[in-house]
Amino acid sequence: MSGTTPPDRPTPVGDTAERTVYYDPDRGTYHTRCDADAYEPVSTALLLTVSSVLGVEPDDLEPLSECVDPDSLNSLFANWRADEPRVGDGTVSFTFSQCGVTIHADGEIVIDPDPDAAPGPVSDRESEP
């Protein structure tokens, strides 16, 4: 992923395990991509990215297996490394260590450290028709 900037206006905020993590100030989310040329299970990339975003060691995170089966997750996203193009553009989303996580079929991982954040003040939403 090094050197590949995701679309829009994210800015690099750090590197973890040779992977650049980008921050998107418009969405308040962090983005990274798994490198198609290197073998790394998505579960490992996810753990390292979330720990980097939260500023903790990976061992300090809750076990990933409490949220999702890591082997199944790795199987779902093994194809972005394959020689054959992946069919479809699906995603998997779940909460992990109090962060919203979305993993895209193309290897992008999106971390939302505040998944419960509302798009605007509650009073504004309640006054809408």
Side-chain angles (χ1 to χ4, degrees), residues 5 8-10 13 16 25 28 47 67-68 79 83 93 119:
T5 304
D8 298 322
R9 299 182 353 215
V13 294
T16 177
L47 287 171
C67 304
V68 66
N79 286 359
D83 293 332
S93 297

Side-chain angles (χ1 to χ4, degrees), residues 66-102:
E66 289 184 9
C67 304
V68 66
D69 180 350
D71 292 333
S72 295
L73 189 65
N74 293 337
S75 293
L76 281 171
F77 293 100
N79 286 359
W80 73 59
R81 295 185 304 274
D83 293 332
E84 298 177 22
R86 182 171 176 96
V87 177
D89 59 354
T91 62
V92 171
S93 297
F94 54 94
T95 301
F96 171 61
S97 286
Q98 300 179 352
C99 293
V101 173
T102 300

Side-chain angles (χ1 to χ4, degrees), residues 25-117:
D26 293 336
R27 296 184 183 110
T29 55
Y30 295 83
H31 301 250
T32 193
R33 285 196 178 279
C34 292
D35 188 349
D37 296 331
Y39 176 78
E40 179 181 47
V42 68
S43 60
T44 301
L46 174 62
L47 287 171
L48 294 173
T49 303
V50 171
S51 69
S52 175
V53 166
L54 297 178
V56 300
E57 293 296 318
D59 292 338
D60 294 334
L61 298 172
E62 70 178 297
L64 183 58
S65 61
E66 289 184 9
C67 304
V68 66
D69 180 350
D71 292 333
S72 295
L73 189 65
N74 293 337
S75 293
L76 281 171
F77 293 100
N79 286 359
W80 73 59
R81 295 185 304 274
D83 293 332
E84 298 177 22
R86 182 171 176 96
V87 177
D89 59 354
T91 62
V92 171
S93 297
F94 54 94
T95 301
F96 171 61
S97 286
Q98 300 179 352
C99 293
V101 173
T102 300
I103 303 171
H104 296 266
D106 66 358
E108 181 181 20
I109 298 174
V110 180
I111 309 296
D112 183 351
D114 190 11
D116 296 326

